[in-house]
Each structure stands twice: as structure tokens, then as C-alpha cells.
Amino acid sequence: MKTKALLFFLSIIILSCSKTKKESSTREILTLKEGWKFQKGSFPDAASSDFDDNNWETINVPHDWAIYGPFDKEIDKQVVAITQNGEEVATEKTGRTGALPYIGEAWYRNTFDIPNYDKNKKVLILFEGAMSEPEVFVNGKKVGEWKYGYAYFYFDISEHIQATNNSLSVKLNNKGKSSRWYPGAGLYRNVRVILKNQESIDQWGTFITTPNINEEVAQVNVKTKVTGDNLKLVTTIFDAEGNEVVSNETTTRFGNQFEQNIAVKNPKLWDTENPYLYKAISKLYVGNTLKDEVTTKFGIRDINYDRNTGFSLNGKPTKFKGVCLHHDLGPLGAAINTSALRRQLTILKDMGVNAIRSSHNMPSFEQLELCDEMGFLFLAESFDEWKKPKVENGYNLYFDDYAEKDVINLVRATRNHPSIVMWSSGNEVPDQWGSEGVKRAKWLQDIFHREDPTRPVTVGMDQVKAVMESGFGAIMDIPGLNYRVHLYEEAYERFPQGFILGSETASTVSSRGIYHFPVEKGSMMQHDDYQSSSYDLEYCSWSNLPEDDFILQDDKPWVLGEFVWTGFDYLGEPTPYDEVWPSRSSYFGINDLAGLPKDRYYLYRSRWNTKDETLHILPHWNWEGREGETTPVFVYTNYNSAELFLNGKSLGIQTKNNSSPQHRYRLMWMDVNYESGTLKVVALDDNGNPTAEKEIKTSGKPHQLILEPNTTTIKANGEDLAFVTVSVVDENEIPCPTATNQLKFEVTGNGRYRAACNGDATSLEQFHLPTMKLFSGKLVVLVQSTKEAGDITLTVSGEGLESSSVQLKSM
């Protein structure tokens, strides 16, 4: 299959610190962030305009009301056999949805004015994510409802609006047993009111492709759906520096759609290394009167899927070096935050990641905009369930009535992002069995194709034998396999496409800084501390170790790449401790819930980041009481050989080899006997010459706190965040990797304490309280700006430790 596309994304630039932003003289966009009233509970009268909400909590949106806890094992305790994991007997799962109080009814209320209101104008209200089952009331009248908490949707509220003091009420209801992970709760993404003329560009009505791209010219095909008569459309394209490139005018319509072909000479292509973005301004006229105007960013790029070359970007064969991401942002919960998303992507970029899979939900607009800007390929996913249930109150309840509408909105809202190179219509759906499932897969894929003929569709398939027999796998544009590495060869032989995608891989589990002995491979291993070993040899009953996927990527040209489960830990699904309290978040992440890299980060980095040196030693070297005992040492590096030294004595040279999957990608000294001191590794080049070294030392008692912010300057918009890594060192400034001191946090100046997280999947400390224990010697503090520019000071203290402060500035 070949797919070529020039795609651009609709980017309405809105001031996040303001309730109102005027895009042009013809269109008003109000982002309703401030002044919301919130209350959990049932309030049938809250839909009324004159309802008294003075005693309700005042909050800003985006908002996740469940993240504040407290954690409780009784919340959404599910007695279930997880069939996709091969379980046959139902058992009690206490932390499956994060043990956070997301269940129940809640209400949001706000009031807003319409600048330059005219009763002849068209007014839409857009929700980018509302968890879940939202019902929307404007000025006391119900204007619509939706079901899916991850969907984007909008209503025309023109008939219900007035110039001032419009009341908006939103009822949300989260059912128990409705999710397999923490879904969040509330208006967790933005709410916008759009005011425009009757003669206007339709919501999500613009779509651009390129039938042909070469070095000299790109053919830019612009389709624009509009409403009104006697219209003229002028589209002007600008380069990244703001210089006008070309302009095109047309009055010819086909039904309600304009179609323009615009030649961009000497195009600069969008790719993962140079994500070049153009800007287009679309102006809609009646005669010479401007009626609507939309500013758009877009990228020019070509994608191709071929049985001989795999996936190609702009003609260059490219493997997907991808990770799966759930939608929560750790201690922030589901509430979207651009600076938190940017931090995640920055960490992943350093690891060498080039692709993201939104799993298993529709991605936020902010995430896609950042991927466009930073150069990530994107697999945009829709559903975790179709008609057959995984959980009692999941999407199966809505599939018949909403699946087509949800897919349409997903595609139309996001199809112009150059980062998106593939759609996913589902993940591990039980419908993989039987003919009805095949029909549903075809039906959904046809909807995606109708709305966007330029990209292929996949499904994350875990029932590989079933989809071989039923034909389910054969009809998919891209056959995506979740795990089942032992079936790749057979699937390749039986499927007609000529390639396989690792749509979900590894599910290796680990806890940052925790190591268990003896060091051995194992499936579903459990330990007394409810942690998984960071030797990266533990995995799940259905999954495997990273090397099993590495071998397929390296040795099988027909494997398109992989999306590792997961880039970061997430709330809920604490496998292999689903049945053990207090485990309440995942162990799958390459980075922990605080965004701190685990050892596994460097294993992937040594393979994926081909520009920078990687040389990483594990475990830590603080093992009082293990003197003389076998303590294996692993080194993750992009060098093929290295020599290990303990207190100056050589422990030998190791070279990567094919004796086992682990030896092919890791350097391992399995018979090291522990003694305190200095452990050093010296990397060797291909000629055996020393070329780089790294050492770790045994530390003394915790003495002083070290604060390292990811940035010292943040925006004074009331939303921007600085992430400050807090660690402990001894008197000689050697890190203390086992420290668990209780710390306190104080923020003064023009900022506020937002949250903290230590990455411990068993911690029941609430994120928003200004105190937390260190885990494996570290934690992260989030400092948030106010709307007043100025200096911010974070001070961290702990009993018996020298406190420390860091200075930040908001501008």
C-alpha cells in the first residue's frame, strides 16, 4: 500500500491566560479557563441559569478532580479475570484504575459574555475532552450530550445564546468498572466558544494533501468545506520565517467544498530531524467583504508503506522507534498541561524515540501540536473496546450509537497534523474472534478511509491465531501485533500485506533504583517489597524482554518498527501486583511516574539515540550487608566492548555477542562480588582503545539536598511548570541511591507549589500536599507560575539534612 500526503493542522492560536482571544475581525475564540465553579455530587437544578453556586469550589479548566485523592483500595475494586492477559479465574484487582476517587457525578458551571455579539452570528461550543458522559446546558437549555470521555465534540448553540451573562452548566458522570486504567475525571481538556459569521469555514472543514512532491515543487491540494452563498476563498501560504510563498484564489465550488491546487516551489519537507512547518491563512469572502479567516500551520511530507522497503518518510526507509503513552501526566492526573507534555517529549527525544502511540485514547490537540513542532511520528488511536466488553461499563455501551461519530470527529479534528502517519481503530478488542468482529474492523477502517484516504489503519491485535483464521488480520492496512513475538514469522507468512508492525511491545516491568537477587529472568515475578527489579529481566505472562523485539527489528526487514509499552509509568494497572495493595500505578514505564529515567531508559537509548554517547552502569553500589555476595553488574552502552573495574582492579572485558539475546545488547558481568568503593566502566572502541568511562561510588549517610530544575524560566501565565528534580548526596556530594527521607516543600514569590511525585508505585502520599518521601534517593517537585511575573523560590527541607533552595523566574 502506498500513502502520500501533504497534511497540515488547524492551529487556532489562543492566549491561554485570557478568557477571550480575538483571532480576526471575523471570528472570536473564547477559551473558558477561569472562573469555573465545581462540585461533586448530584445537582439536577444546576442546569438552571439562576442556580446558586456561590458555595462551590472555584477552579480553572483543564481540571481533574479525582487526582487529589485520597488513594483507597476500595475504590473501583474489580473482581475480574483479565482475559486479554490470559486469565481464566476472576480475582480481586484493587489498584486497576489507580485507587483514586474518579467514580460519580460532578458538575461544572461558568458564565461568559460574547464580544461583538450579533444574533445573526453562528456560535459553537467545543469540548476537547470531558470525562465522561457529558450533558451540556446553555442558559438553562440542554444543547446536547456525548458519551466517550476521550472524544472531541461540539454543538451549535446559536439559538441559545445572548450577548452577556450566558450560563454554561456541564454534568459529568463516571461509572465504576468503566476503565482498565486511571481515566481521570472532569473537564480535563480545554473548552472553547467559537463565534463566526454564517458564511464561514466549517468546523474541522479543511483538509490538505499533496499528490506529488519533488525537490522543485509540491502540489498542495486544499479542500475547504464552507457554509454560505456567493463565496470566494483566498489561501496564502507563508514559510516558517513569515515570508509569503504563494497565494491562490477561487470561486469554484463542488457542493459545499472548495478545492485548490497550489504549487509550493522548492518545498522544505517536514521530518523527524527537521520538522519544518509552513503557515497558511485562509480567507473567505462574500464579494469583497471578508467573512471568515483561519490561520493554519502545516508540514509538507510524503509517507509510504511498501512490502519491500517498509515505512518510508520522504523516501527514506524509517523504522518506528516508538513508545505507547497513556493520557495521564502522573501527579497532574488527566488535566492537560503543555509544559508537562513538552517535558515528556524532550525526555523521549533524548532517548532516541521518533514515534508516539496514543494508547488507548484520542490524543490531545496540544500533544499533536508538540509532535508536529518537535518531530515525532504519531499513531493516533481511537478505542480500547468495540461491541464486546472488556469491562462492564466500557465503550461497549456506546459503540453502536457513537463509534462512527467519534471516528469522524477524531479524523476531521486531527487529520491535518503532519506528525500523524497512521490511525488505529482499536486495541486488543475481544471482537478479534469471529466473523462479526471482521465486519466491524472493515466497517471502522472504511470510515477512516472515507474521512482520510491518505493514511493506513491498524489494530493492536493480541489474539494472533484468531485473526489469522478469521481474516481479521488480513483486511487491515497495517497488521499490528501486540507482543506474541513467537508468532511474527507465521503472521508474516499468512498475512498478505508483506509487513508487520509491533504495535505494542515488551511490557518489561521495573522499579527505578530497586534491584532483586538472585538476578534471573522471570515472568510475573513478585517480591516482598511489591517492586519489580531494575535489572530489566522481569516481564509479564503475555509479554517479553526488550531484546526479543530488538532482534526482530534488526533481523527482519519486514518488521516496520515497534511501540514499547510504555514510555512513562501511568496511574492504574499495577501489573504484576494487580492483586496486591498498595500498588496503584504501573511498572511498565521506561521512565517512572515522576518522569525520572529507569535503567531501561539507557538500554533503549544505547540503541535508538545514534548521535550521543550512552554509557550507563547498574545497579547502584550501596549494598551494606551484601559484602562478598554475588552482585551482577550490567552496562548499557552504544559501544560494543568495555572493561569493568572495582576499586581499581579489573574484572575483565565484556563484548556484545550472539550467545543470548541479552548478550547481544547488554554488557554483563554476572559474577561480581560486592565490596564498597568505586565501580568504573571503561568503554573500548573497535580497536580496543579506551574511549569513554563512567563510575559510581558507595555513598555515606544522606547529608544535603540537591535541586535541579528542568528550566529556570517559565511563563507568567498561571499554567507553566518547572520540574525540579530533588536528590540527596552525602558529605562528599556522592548520590545516596537508597535514601527515603521525608521532605517538605515551600514555594515563595510569584509561583506556587503544584505537586510532587517520587515514582514509587506503592506510595499513598497525595501529590498535591507539600511533603513526600524520597524513593531511591530522588523525587520531582512541580512549581507552577502565577499570572504575575517575577522571582520564585523553591525551598526543600528534611530532618537531618541541609536544606536547599533554587531560584526560578516567571516572565
Side-chain angles (χ1 to χ4, degrees), residues 126-146:
L126 167 65
F127 291 83
E128 297 177 8
M131 192 65 70
S132 55
E133 299 186 351
E135 297 180 41
V136 181
F137 305 83
V138 174
N139 293 325
K141 304 293 184 182
K142 185 173 180 177
V143 298
E145 66 180 35
W146 213 262

Side-chain angles (χ1 to χ4, degrees), residues 466-482:
V467 299
M468 288 179 188
E469 298 299 326
S470 69
F472 188 113
I475 67 167
M476 300 308 304
D477 296 333
I478 307 290
L481 267 57
N482 285 12

Side-chain angles (χ1 to χ4, degrees), residues 133-198:
E133 299 186 351
E135 297 180 41
V136 181
F137 305 83
V138 174
N139 293 325
K141 304 293 184 182
K142 185 173 180 177
V143 298
E145 66 180 35
W146 213 262
K147 294 297 182 183
Y148 193 30
Y150 295 108
Y152 339 114
F153 61 93
Y154 65 92
F155 303 122
D156 188 329
I157 57 173
S158 306
E159 296 181 1
H160 306 283
I161 219 73
Q162 56 201 27
T164 60
N165 202 35
N166 291 283
S167 91
L168 171 62
S169 301
V170 184
K171 173 190 173 184
L172 299 173
N173 183 45
N174 281 350
K175 295 184 176 76
K177 301 179 182 178
S178 61
S179 183
R180 300 191 298 118
W181 57 84
Y182 175 69
L187 296 176
Y188 68 101
R189 294 178 182 166
N190 280 306
V191 179
R192 311 193 196 274
V193 176
I194 303 166
L195 176 72
K196 58 182 182 175
N197 289 311
Q198 293 292 333

Side-chain angles (χ1 to χ4, degrees), residues 206-315:
T206 309
F207 186 36
I208 297 183
T209 60
T210 55
N212 295 288
I213 304 173
N214 58 47
E215 291 183 2
E216 288 76 32
V217 66
Q219 180 187 351
V220 183
N221 179 260
V222 186
K223 294 181 176 69
T224 309
K225 290 185 177 180
V226 297
T227 299
D229 299 318
N230 303 314
L231 300 175
K232 176 178 68 177
L233 181 68
V234 178
T235 300
T236 306
I237 295 174
F238 298 84
D239 64 19
E241 290 72 43
N243 303 308
E244 181 175 333
V245 175
V246 64
S247 187
N248 180 274
E249 176 181 318
T250 183
T251 58
T252 302
R253 275 198 292 173
F254 302 89
N256 70 333
Q257 182 172 273
F258 286 107
E259 184 167 354
Q260 298 167 286
N261 282 291
I262 305 173
V264 174
K265 295 181 180 179
N266 304 313
K268 296 182 179 179
L269 303 189
W270 183 97
D271 63 25
T272 56
E273 299 300 319
N274 298 289
Y276 193 90
L277 295 171
Y278 289 87
K279 180 176 71 174
I281 297 179
S282 301
K283 293 185 177 182
L284 190 68
Y285 294 85
V286 173
N288 293 320
T289 303
L290 181 64
K291 289 294 184 177
D292 199 7
E293 179 179 334
V294 172
T295 299
T296 307
K297 288 184 179 179
F298 67 94
I300 300 174
R301 57 99 174 107
D302 174 88
I303 59 173
N304 180 41
Y305 295 84
D306 183 87
R307 63 171 54 243
N308 295 315
T309 57
F311 170 72
S312 294
L313 177 64
N314 301 327

Side-chain angles (χ1 to χ4, degrees), residues 608-627:
W608 283 352
N609 183 336
T610 58
K611 294 181 178 180
D612 301 311
E613 175 185 280
T614 298
L615 188 58
H616 177 76
I617 310 174
L618 65 127
H620 63 70
W621 213 239
N622 273 49
W623 296 107
E624 185 177 358
R626 284 190 58 81
E627 287 78 9

Side-chain angles (χ1 to χ4, degrees), residues 658-703:
N658 291 325
S659 62
S660 75
Q662 281 66 53
H663 282 93
R664 184 169 172 177
Y665 297 98
R666 316 182 193 203
L667 300 177
M668 302 186 294
W669 290 259
M670 299 300 296
D671 56 355
V672 177
N673 293 321
Y674 175 71
E675 62 180 58
S676 63
T678 299
L679 190 67
K680 182 172 75 171
V681 65
V682 177
L684 307 176
D685 65 19
D686 292 340
N687 296 316
N689 299 314
T691 186
E693 65 178 53
K694 183 76 175 289
E695 66 180 25
I696 55 175
K697 296 181 178 182
T698 307
S699 71
K701 293 181 179 180
H703 174 71

